[in-house]
Amino acid sequence: MRNASENVAGLIAIPDLMGFNGLGQGSVPTARVTQPVGAFLVDSHTRFVVWAPNAEKVELQLRQADKEEQIAMQRNEWGYWSVEIEKTDIEYRYGYCLDDKGPMPDPASRFQPEGTAHLSAVVSTDYPWTDQNWKAPSLKEMIIYELHVGTFTNQSSLEAIIDKLDYLLDLGINAIELLPLSQFSGSRGWGYDGVFPYAVQHSYGGPQALRRLVDACHSKGMAVILDVVYNHLGPEGNCLPCFGPYLHKRYQQGWGDAINFDNKQADHVRSYFIGNALMWLNEYHIDGLRLDAVHSIWDFGATHFLAELTQAVRTLSMQTGHEYILIAESDLNDSKLLLPYAERGFGLDAQWLDDFHHSLHTLATGEKDHYYADFGTLSHLQKAFEHSYVYNGTYSPFREKTFGNSAQHTYFDQFVVYIQNHDQIGNRLGNDRMASLVSKPMLKAIAGTYLLSPYVPMLFMGEEYGETNPFFYFIDYSDDELVEAVRKGRKEEFEGFQKDELEYEDPQDVQTFARSRLSWDLQVDGRAEILDFYKQLIRIRKTHPAFQNVMRTAVQSWIEGDKVLMWLQQAENPKDSMLLCAVAFEEGEWRFQLPGNKRWKRLIDSSYSDSTEQVETEITLSGPHFMAWTSVEE
């Protein structure tokens, strides 16, 4: 069913809004441009399409062994150049010459086998998929596992992840989230500095390796979410500005010029990035996208880029019969991202919830520097349970202003929570993982808190067994001045945090990358116990009926004796069992009655390796401590 709507070029059959059939002359558009770009194998031909509105002449340059050939391309009125050739093998490289300058790689290249500075390769979309009957779990059912391809295994490849899927399956994971795969400069990096958004990073194995991984995940019941970056382009190897106004200087952010979503010729830039999203979902069978830092997407047009992207993905879903999810990263505490179109929202499915992380992190570590200054009490975490946004139209001392709005018209499964992720480890001085910061009892307490919260949980690779190897920020640039600029920028980023005597790690040093790899050493004392505790928590998460209820009314939370946070989750069916959880982060002992007239059976206790399954009405917590119970019939 998935492939029924694919055309011969392997593209989704999106509307040809400008009469672009065969790239002929179109009429004045009545809707926004949605023109596919790139190189496509079509029957016995290969079609090349590139947007270069300011060029007087564009030529396709083909290179095969020692032979080179240049072919003139035809322009339509919107600045799209095209040509078809009879070659259908993929043993040659290609690029574009603009007004006799070049050749340069294709801005919509699907593969850069030799890196960003070299010509592009045509790739086939043919693949013997085995996931025709695949159906991804819903958001409320997901246990997400975020991983970075380069440091997850020693092989640093997409293929090597396949060998770890049985391990993840045994852990209880049913969705993996990959850090960005778009081609970036060099062979090592986080991926947020990609410069060819359509190309799969060559050092990870390229397009076919990604298809094999996705197909393997689906065969084991795991969804695949991909991190994409639509707020900036990387600084090294970026050729897009040579072709057209992909960027403009009206808005500036940490990476330089912003992407042009609302200035002159923005229709074509929007089409480029929306087409990119559709490509990942359709050509690679990706189940969802995590949209990086959407607060840095500058668009003051009447229809925001995110709303248009959501509409395009919903159209794709109707055409393929496959549901896709869009998850935003945002630091704005703005529920507009999640509200439906009818309520003037953008209609995204979910967002990362940093307020929950910050509330939990400060309680666990005691850190209060920089943005953590806005958190640190049990009442902050309780508010995160009740209202999602801790700052929901209230004054933020760190920001020195009133911040955020209400999330009360959203659902619990519209927020993803975590205690660790690539940002919260990699963007802190020292780059310590939680297992290096707190005791084993505290590790268990915080794991229980977020994994059995009403929100969608996300683990960061290795946390489930207490990995202590740091996760540094690393790059592989060839420009010495750029490397120095990155070094300087990283040091400035840490100025708001306590420095003590911690050394700053050089992001360009290959050892910084090597030291960020997972150890996979489960023989270290205590790691097997932590892993088993995670498995128990995930098992409860996946089987207890309370987690099927995502309504705001499903959860009640309160603070017991100033030291213990408790929350009660109700199932959709009142006859089903309720879930009760309690957590204490401070050292000490607290005794209190369990609520209501119900009998409670203990499901899990962080002080014991196995559940006691005893029925009780009064309990004692010795912090740090986490416990959970299920209600039983009288």
Side-chain angles (χ1 to χ4, degrees):
M1 186 174 182
R2 294 191 57 122
N3 299 322
S5 63
E6 292 178 1
N7 64 24
V8 290
L11 298 166
I12 191 65
I14 54 181
D16 192 11
L17 299 180
M18 295 174 55
F20 269 126
N21 292 321
L23 287 176
Q25 295 295 309
S27 59
V28 176
T30 58
R32 202 181 300 277
V33 179
T34 52
Q35 174 56 44
V37 288
F40 313 109
L41 296 172
V42 184
D43 297 329
S44 60
H45 297 77
T46 303
R47 179 189 302 159
F48 298 85
V49 184
V50 64
W51 183 56
N54 301 324
E56 297 294 327
K57 179 176 69 171
V58 178
E59 293 176 303
L60 169 68
Q61 178 154 329
L62 305 176
R63 181 176 298 168
Q64 187 171 23
D66 296 330
K67 297 180 181 179
E68 291 192 4
E69 181 181 6
Q70 285 189 335
I71 303 171
M73 302 181 73
Q74 299 299 310
R75 184 188 194 277
N76 76 358
E77 62 184 303
W78 304 106
Y80 289 88
W81 299 76
S82 67
V83 70
E84 286 193 1
I85 64 173
E86 293 185 359
K87 292 178 180 290
T88 57
D89 64 83
I90 55 176
E91 298 302 319
Y92 60 88
R93 303 287 182 262
Y94 77 96
Y96 298 115
C97 295
L98 276 61
D99 297 327
D100 298 321
K101 295 179 181 179
M104 291 177 285
D106 183 356
S109 168
R110 286 339 194 244
F111 191 31
Q112 294 293 122
E114 299 165 278
T116 60
H118 299 270
L119 295 183
S120 306
V122 178
V123 295
S124 173
T125 58
D126 290 339
Y127 182 80
W129 292 100
T130 64
D131 65 350
Q132 288 79 9
N133 297 319
W134 163 249
K135 181 176 173 58
S138 65
L139 258 171
K140 67 181 179 182
E141 298 170 322
M142 282 189 176
I143 314 292
I144 304 173
Y145 190 93
E146 186 190 33
L147 66 89
H148 173 262
V149 175
T151 55
F152 184 63
T153 67
N154 288 332
Q155 294 81 10
S156 301
S157 69
L158 291 160
E159 294 274 7
I161 298 173
I162 297 175
D163 292 335
K164 296 291 187 181
L165 293 183
D166 284 339
Y167 164 85
L168 295 178
L169 195 65
D170 182 60
L171 175 60
I173 300 302
N174 58 14
I176 64 170
E177 181 173 324
L178 304 170
L179 267 64
L181 302 179
S182 293
Q183 181 72 45
F184 53 81
S185 181
S187 61
R188 60 185 185 273
W190 277 19
Y192 295 92
D193 53 354
V195 290
F196 288 92
Y198 283 72
V200 180
Q201 175 68 14
H202 75 292
S203 60
Y204 292 164
Q208 292 298 74
L210 176 57
R211 291 186 174 97
R212 285 190 285 272
L213 172 61
V214 174
D215 205 32
C217 285
H218 289 174
S219 72
K220 294 182 181 296
M222 292 185 198
V224 180
I225 301 168
L226 177 64
D227 206 336
V228 293
V229 183
Y230 295 151
N231 60 76
H232 69 269
L233 295 168
E236 184 169 80
N238 178 16
C239 68
L240 269 68
C242 298
F243 286 83
Y246 285 91
L247 306 175
H248 64 75
K249 299 182 181 298
R250 181 186 300 178
Y251 317 117
Q252 293 286 309
Q253 32 96 348
W255 292 87
D257 295 345
I259 292 176
N260 175 24
F261 286 126
D262 65 357
N263 208 352
K264 293 180 179 179
Q265 303 197 69
D267 287 358
H268 308 277
V269 179
R270 295 165 77 106
S271 172
Y272 175 88
F273 285 99
I274 288 174
N276 177 258
L278 299 181
M279 178 204 71
W280 294 118
L281 301 174
N282 193 56
E283 293 185 17
Y284 292 97
H285 293 200
I286 298 293
D287 299 288
L289 302 174
R290 182 265 191 185
L291 309 172
D292 178 65
V294 299
H295 50 268
S296 293
I297 294 177
W298 298 95
D299 180 6
F300 290 96
T303 302
H304 195 279
F305 170 75
L306 291 174
E308 188 172 341
L309 171 64
T310 304
Q311 291 171 355
V313 171
R314 301 298 177 248
T315 299
L316 174 64
S317 181
M318 289 187 292
Q319 293 173 342
T320 63
H322 187 78
E323 295 293 329
Y324 307 102
I325 61 172
L326 295 175
I327 303 173
E329 178 202 18
S330 173
D331 68 359
L332 298 179
N333 282 17
D334 188 354
S335 60
K336 176 174 61 180
L337 294 171
L338 307 174
L339 296 177
Y341 308 123
E343 299 177 34
R344 303 186 69 82
F346 295 164
L348 299 173
D349 297 290
Q351 73 155 97
W352 280 16
L353 186 55
D354 274 351
D355 276 18
F356 189 97
H357 169 271
H358 299 345
S359 299
L360 186 52
H361 180 94
T362 51
L363 288 170
T365 65
E367 295 179 8
K368 292 283 289 181
D369 48 335
H370 204 50
Y371 50 74
Y372 289 141
D374 270 352
F375 303 88
T377 69
L378 207 55
S379 60
H380 287 124
L381 184 57
Q382 184 200 2
K383 187 172 181 181
F385 269 89
E386 293 278 350
H387 300 282
S388 300
Y389 302 143
V390 174
Y391 291 89
N392 55 353
T394 52
Y395 183 78
S396 159
F398 169 71
R399 297 178 177 87
E400 298 184 26
K401 65 178 183 179
T402 300
F403 180 70
N405 60 29
S406 174
Q408 287 305 99
H409 296 293
T410 62
Y411 301 91
F412 283 118
D413 64 342
Q414 290 186 280
F415 294 94
V416 177
V417 296
Y418 35 83
I419 188 55
Q420 302 182 78
N421 62 37
H422 71 278
D423 275 329
Q424 301 302 338
I425 302 172
N427 287 331
R428 60 179 279 118
L429 190 59
N431 308 98
D432 308 293
R433 288 171 172 268
M434 192 58 69
S436 298
L437 297 173
V438 302
S439 65
K440 185 171 64 176
M442 184 67 81
L443 276 180
K444 289 183 172 184
I446 58 182
T449 302
Y450 90 88
L451 280 169
L452 295 191
S453 78
Y455 300 110
V456 179
M458 184 181 75
L459 294 69
F460 183 65
M461 59 179 193
E463 75 162 85
E464 71 279 1
Y465 61 79
E467 178 64 73
T468 54
N469 283 358
F471 184 71
F472 296 112
Y473 180 76
F474 40 83
I475 57 174
D476 185 18
Y477 293 156
S478 59
D479 185 324
D480 291 339
E481 291 185 4
L482 179 58
V483 171
E484 284 303 315
V486 173
R487 287 170 176 156
K488 180 181 178 182
R490 293 296 290 179
K491 290 179 181 179
E492 291 175 350
E493 187 172 342
F494 295 132
E495 287 182 352
F497 292 91
Q498 297 176 2
K499 295 180 175 58
D500 298 327
E501 299 300 322
L502 291 174
E503 294 185 4
Y504 172 77
E505 299 294 332
D506 181 3
Q508 180 74 3
D509 189 342
V510 67
Q511 288 304 311
T512 302
F513 165 72
R515 290 174 58 200
S516 299
R517 283 198 174 104
L518 295 185
S519 67
W520 288 107
D521 187 356
L522 300 182
Q523 304 307 311
V524 174
D525 183 44
R527 286 188 174 182
E529 180 183 339
I530 295 171
L531 179 61
D532 181 66
F533 189 67
Y534 267 79
K535 289 180 179 180
Q536 291 182 56
L537 290 169
I538 292 173
R539 191 178 306 117
I540 294 170
R541 173 96 199 185
K542 295 173 79 171
T543 57
H544 199 283
F547 292 105
Q548 294 301 308
N549 191 351
V550 298
M551 302 294 292
R552 286 282 165 184
T553 55
V555 175
Q556 297 173 272
S557 65
W558 64 95
I559 297 174
E560 188 78 40
D562 297 327
K563 300 297 182 181
V564 177
L565 177 65
M566 303 193 71
W567 64 98
L568 179 68
Q569 297 180 227
Q570 302 181 33
E572 290 179 324
N573 186 341
K575 295 182 179 180
D576 286 337
S577 299
M578 294 188 292
L579 182 77
L580 176 66
C581 301
V583 61
F585 298 101
E586 297 183 21
E587 291 187 2
E589 186 172 287
W590 301 274
R591 180 182 295 274
F592 51 88
Q593 298 288 324
L594 296 182
N597 298 318
K598 291 189 174 294
R599 300 170 68 236
W600 298 96
K601 182 177 72 173
R602 194 185 308 182
L603 289 177
I604 192 167
D605 186 333
S606 63
S607 296
Y608 299 93
S609 58
D610 297 313
S611 168
T612 61
E613 293 196 349
Q614 65 189 73
V615 176
E616 51 201 353
T617 58
E618 184 180 80
I619 59 127
T620 299
L621 251 67
S622 301
H625 201 164
F626 175 85
M627 299 174 72
W629 303 262
T630 186
S631 61
V632 294
E633 292 184 4
E634 297 292 339

